Amino acid sequence: MSNPLLIAEGLPHFSEIRPEHVKPAVAGLLAEGRALVETLLASNTAYTWDNLVEPLDEMDDRISRAWSPVSHMNAVLNSEALRNVYNECLPLLSEYGTELGQHEGLYQAYRQIAEGDEYRRLDTAQKKVIDNALRDFRLSGIELDATKRARFKEIIQELSRLASKYSDNVLDATNAWHKQITGEQQLAGLPGSALALAQQTAQQRSLDGWVFTLEFPSYFPVMTYADDRELRKELYTAYVTRASELGPTAGLYDNGATMEKIMAMRHEAARLLGYDNYAERSLATKMAESTDQVIDFLEDLATRSKPAAQQELEDMRDFAREQGHDDLQAWDIPYYSEKLRQQKYAISQEELKPWFPEPRVVEGLFAIVSHLYGLQIEAVDGIDTWHKDVAFYRIRDASGTVRGEFYLDLYARPHKRGGAWMDECISRRGTAGGVQTPVAYLTCNFSPPIGDEPALFTHDEVITLFHEFGHGLHHMLTQIDYAGVSGISGVAWDAVELPSQFMENWCWERDALDLISGHYRSGDKIPPELYERMHRARNFQSAMQMLRQLEFALFDFRLHRDYDPKKGARIRQTLEQVRKEVAVVQPPDFNRFENSFTHIFGGGYAAGYYSYKWAEVLSADAFSAFEESGIFNRETGEKFLRSILEQGGSREPMELFVEFRGREPTIDALLRHSGLAA
Ligand SMILES: [Zn+2]
């Protein structure tokens, strides 16, 4: 019986993958990988790129070809059986990674390459691969004595298990709750699209009336539009207590103890490596140079934003007071924000939806990329995917060369992890048979089509799509042929959001909007006066939003910097402290935001959430080059393509930025775009 996960070329055969394939494939490949390392080390004494790095790279590629579809399906088509094998394999993979990272013979072989003549023969990207490898050996504990090394390995494995447990708890808590409504009077204020979705959800569950869930497209409209304050409070409470000791699923999926363990183990791992704390360890692979630099950067932005944010909050309080509401609570804020936005600018996310039907948005996005970089994107039919809603596309450059391919999975559905992300399916690398085409997964959780109408997106959803597509282009357009530094691989985490946030800017430009929008019935362009209102509303409450991001970033960074083994993680305490200093809105005591903050506890953003703002300085400044030369300026586009998108992690991000912009980044463009310029 053949195992679809072991096919070493072409796209994954999603429809054939079964949970029982996973463990044998992973275990077999890891055994092969271990044997290969020993053979390579034993059969050479003078190590070179070709006799060591290349064959190991190929082995990594085979492992990732098996694991990538599994990990992806676990996120977008979660089931009990798949989740179990996924969680069984995580420690195996993590053990393999640490074992190679702590392999003395392998380390010495890489050092021999780095210190000998071979290194001088390598090109810049190859040199970077070797430099990164030596850095990563050190970060895997290679320089520790045997006891500490063993402990370090244990910690890394446990951390990988805990992160997965954390995310599973959030997903389970999200799925475990819903609200059924049978009386229409409770639904006042909700737009038609939200009602239709709730009705569809009820039908799918064979229930009467309307069903609201904690998935974002269902939750968000209630918070924004429902006139029924009790309903908002009920959903808010369920949402912000997910995976905690409070709320409707209190204690069932509680992440409290898991977070404590994660923090303790990260700190211990960082200390073993000789860092003062995990925040320092985090910066070892980032563009930012010191923990002080990060904190200063965030605090400076907070200081600049706070007066404007306080004013925004005052405006909202005044507005609510005029409507007879004196005590503005957390579950009132999105509601009154939206009402105030409508009063000031007569515009709402809902009003814009008919202008952004899915086919128009996707085609327009492709047209923009074509203008900027001379690329052509075509749909490919008949590709084996994991769900009927998934589409597949191929990107060609001006010469007709295939540069990349991607799966596009746009809609929210049960058992699909929330949020939006780009992930690597296959990475670009040179092989004996030619260059391997990079393939990406682009995953969103947008409102699905209702009935026979096309899906209609909010402007925020369009921005999210552009964001993830920017990551996708970074992964797919790379011209680097070594997987370790091709695409987003090896790119410092705090620079990785540059190409994604950069793309968002086009969603605000008239000429670009004409390409991505058109009324789904009439095909008409967005009328000038509507565009005018959109623009005026762009920075509505932008200081409050800025502070919210800074609150998350400071919480994350201080939590990791200030961990004290004697006092524990002090998670709530840290969050409350940060809120006291930064936030203008204090959430209620029962808010357990930290229990579902998967970015830092379940994902890779630990002591790295600041990266969004950090990279926004780069992306805003990069876009300002287009503001100066024209947003479809082909020459500027070409320059961005060559200097940033194609280079992957082959050089330092600052060097690439300077090559593109002709100077180091400044914060001016970000302040100007956020309406905070002095
Ligand atoms: Zn991103």
Side-chain angles (χ1 to χ4, degrees):
M1 207 179 69
S2 69
N3 189 327
L5 295 174
L6 295 175
I7 299 166
E9 52 191 49
L11 299 167
H13 297 202
F14 286 103
S15 64
E16 294 166 22
I17 298 170
R18 302 280 172 272
E20 57 269 28
H21 293 132
V22 179
K23 212 170 164 195
V26 170
L29 285 168
L30 297 185
E32 241 187 277
R34 287 188 169 95
L36 178 71
V37 170
E38 299 314 320
T39 312
L40 294 175
L41 290 177
S43 50
N44 297 293
T45 45
Y47 299 107
T48 63
W49 182 273
D50 291 339
N51 74 22
L52 185 76
V53 185
E54 214 292 314
L56 287 176
D57 210 36
E58 192 190 328
M59 189 69 228
D60 281 348
D61 188 64
R62 289 177 55 206
I63 295 171
S64 113
R65 275 172 174 276
W67 186 243
S68 160
V70 172
S71 150
H72 182 66
M73 284 167 88
N74 186 55
V76 298
L77 205 67
N78 195 274
S79 71
E80 189 79 36
L82 186 60
R83 179 189 290 194
N84 288 340
V85 291
Y86 175 84
N87 283 330
E88 268 179 65
C89 288
L90 272 185
L92 304 180
L93 284 155
S94 153
E95 190 184 0
Y96 178 78
T98 338
E99 200 179 300
L100 294 200
Q102 294 188 348
H103 195 297
E104 190 59 40
L106 200 55
Y107 177 52
Q108 294 308 336
Y110 270 87
R111 281 189 59 183
Q112 196 197 83
I113 295 178
E115 288 158 15
D117 286 342
E118 175 74 356
Y119 190 78
R120 256 161 285 164
R121 281 192 286 269
L122 302 177
D123 65 30
T124 313
Q126 288 173 308
K127 284 185 176 134
K128 191 75 165 58
V129 170
I130 303 291
D131 297 346
N132 287 355
L134 289 176
R135 176 198 70 194
D136 294 342
F137 275 115
R138 203 174 55 74
L139 295 175
S140 298
I142 192 84
E143 283 164 356
L144 303 178
D145 67 38
T147 325
K148 284 182 177 166
R149 214 189 267 191
R151 175 63 186 150
F152 187 84
K153 189 172 165 185
E154 203 174 85
I155 294 174
I156 297 305
Q157 262 186 281
E158 184 60 8
L159 276 174
S160 136
R161 194 186 66 80
L162 291 169
S164 176
K165 187 177 168 201
Y166 183 96
S167 301
D168 286 346
N169 277 336
V170 175
L171 186 59
D172 288 345
T174 304
N175 281 329
W177 189 91
H178 71 260
K179 170 81 179 169
Q180 183 188 11
I181 291 178
T182 47
E184 219 157 330
Q185 70 285 357
Q186 262 193 292
L187 302 169
L190 281 166
S193 61
L195 292 175
L197 178 63
Q199 216 159 16
Q200 185 166 289
T201 309
Q203 279 158 11
Q204 281 160 357
R205 295 172 189 225
S206 309
L207 294 170
D208 290 335
W210 298 265
V211 165
F212 294 92
T213 70
L214 299 179
E215 284 170 38
F216 201 71
S218 181
Y219 169 75
F220 183 69
V222 174
M223 297 315 296
T224 315
Y225 299 107
D227 294 334
D228 187 331
R229 195 182 192 205
E230 282 310 307
L231 178 65
R232 294 201 308 266
K233 185 180 178 184
E234 193 182 346
L235 259 86
Y236 174 86
T237 307
Y239 193 80
V240 303
T241 54
R242 283 177 304 157
S244 80
E245 82 285 15
L246 300 174
T249 56
L252 288 176
Y253 313 101
D254 189 359
N255 269 331
T258 305
M259 292 190 289
E260 279 291 336
K261 273 188 226 155
I262 288 174
M263 290 306 302
M265 296 196 116
R266 281 180 184 160
H267 184 77
E268 192 185 344
R271 296 286 298 162
L272 280 169
L273 295 176
Y275 295 101
D276 279 346
N277 51 64
Y278 189 82
E280 258 187 25
R281 153 67 188 86
S282 159
L283 295 190
T285 56
K286 293 190 173 72
M287 188 176 168
E289 283 157 3
S290 69
T291 55
D292 284 349
Q293 192 190 17
V294 172
I295 296 280
D296 289 349
F297 166 71
L298 295 171
E299 285 179 348
D300 172 52
L301 268 179
T303 309
R304 289 172 190 263
S305 316
K306 203 159 181 184
Q310 263 153 348
Q311 189 55 52
E312 288 168 2
L313 182 66
E314 264 328 294
D315 291 350
M316 190 165 42
R317 278 195 208 288
D318 290 347
F319 174 75
R321 214 170 284 133
E322 283 162 26
Q323 320 255 318
H325 295 283
D326 252 341
D327 67 327
L328 209 57
Q329 299 293 331
W331 46 91
D332 301 322
I333 287 175
Y335 178 78
Y336 285 108
S337 289
E338 183 61 23
K339 290 272 178 293
L340 178 58
R341 185 208 308 266
Q342 285 181 34
Q343 196 211 41
K344 277 179 102 162
Y345 309 105
I347 200 160
S348 73
Q349 285 285 335
E350 200 53 33
E351 183 187 356
L352 287 166
K353 280 177 96 166
W355 305 93
F356 293 113
E358 185 260 347
R360 181 80 190 160
V361 172
V362 171
E363 277 164 31
L365 167 62
F366 295 171
I368 288 172
V369 166
S370 169
H371 285 314
L372 285 172
Y373 311 123
L375 303 167
Q376 299 304 322
I377 303 179
E378 70 211 13
V380 182
D381 292 331
I383 300 290
D384 184 352
T385 70
W386 55 93
H387 191 274
K388 63 174 177 50
D389 290 347
V390 181
F392 187 84
Y393 298 90
R394 184 169 293 143
I395 305 181
R396 290 179 195 276
D397 63 19
S399 71
T401 308
V402 175
R403 293 286 289 264
E405 295 172 327
F406 60 96
Y407 299 90
L408 186 60
D409 183 358
L410 288 172
Y411 309 123
R413 59 174 177 265
H415 308 292
K416 176 171 169 182
R417 208 157 266 180
W421 67 89
M422 189 287 294
D423 203 358
E424 301 154 306
C425 175
I426 297 172
S427 295
R428 179 175 169 116
R429 56 184 291 271
T431 70
V435 170
Q436 183 166 286
T437 304
V439 182
Y441 305 111
L442 294 170
T443 311
C444 303
N445 272 279
F446 297 160
S447 333
I450 292 159
D452 294 330
E453 315 252 87
L456 301 175
F457 297 154
T458 64
H459 188 238
D460 283 348
E461 287 176 331
V462 174
I463 291 172
T464 300
L465 177 64
F466 271 65
H467 178 104
E468 298 311 330
F469 203 72
H471 284 307
L473 291 177
H474 201 190
H475 172 63
M476 293 183 282
L477 297 181
T478 189
Q479 289 290 293
I480 303 294
D481 290 341
Y482 315 105
V485 291
S486 82
I488 61 167
S489 300
V491 177
W493 200 278
D494 45 1
V496 94
E497 297 294 334
L498 160 58
S500 51
Q501 297 184 142
F502 168 78
M503 279 300 290
E504 295 178 18
N505 291 291
W506 273 266
C507 301
W508 291 100
E509 299 291 328
R510 176 80 243 192
D511 294 342
L513 274 167
D514 283 347
L515 294 171
I516 58 174
S517 65
H519 197 280
Y520 80 107
R521 290 225 169 97
S522 65
D524 290 349
K525 290 180 178 179
I526 294 178
E529 65 82 28
L530 178 57
Y531 176 70
E532 181 60 28
R533 281 187 280 138
M534 253 176 98
H535 241 263
R536 282 197 293 126
R538 179 177 181 178
N539 282 326
F540 175 66
Q541 295 186 346
S542 67
M544 277 168 70
Q545 280 164 29
M546 170 80 87
L547 281 189
R548 214 170 135 70
Q549 286 300 311
L550 294 172
E551 174 189 323
F552 297 162
L554 276 167
F555 163 60
D556 162 49
F557 207 78
R558 283 204 199 148
L559 191 65
H560 288 94
R561 189 195 59 174
D562 300 341
Y563 185 88
D564 180 344
K566 286 193 226 70
K567 296 177 184 159
R570 293 164 296 161
I571 297 172
R572 280 220 71 74
Q573 214 177 314
T574 308
L575 185 55
E576 272 160 22
Q577 186 59 36
V578 168
R579 279 176 177 160
K580 221 173 357 180
E581 290 166 32
V582 176
V584 291
V585 180
Q586 302 298 330
D589 284 343
F590 63 78
N591 181 301
R592 289 291 177 273
F593 156 77
E594 64 275 27
N595 289 55
S596 57
F597 195 10
T598 31
H599 274 85
I600 72 159
F601 291 111
Y605 280 86
Y609 198 84
Y610 78 92
S611 300
Y612 284 108
K613 279 293 157 210
W614 187 272
E616 209 177 338
V617 173
L618 307 178
S619 62
D621 199 355
F623 183 68
S624 69
F626 288 85
E627 291 177 310
E628 289 157 16
S629 67
I631 62 153
F632 290 129
N633 188 292
R634 191 70 176 78
E635 208 177 308
T636 316
E638 193 70 20
K639 210 166 162 192
F640 190 77
L641 175 68
R642 300 261 179 265
S643 306
I644 311 276
L645 295 177
E646 290 185 352
Q647 298 302 323
S650 65
R651 286 187 281 152
E652 291 302 325
M654 183 60 94
E655 193 186 325
L656 298 179
F657 187 90
V658 170
E659 184 179 297
F660 167 66
R661 201 67 179 95
R663 56 163 175 75
E664 293 200 353
T666 73
I667 201 171
D668 304 358
L670 172 61
L671 294 177
R672 180 164 51 81
H673 292 164
S674 313
L676 293 169

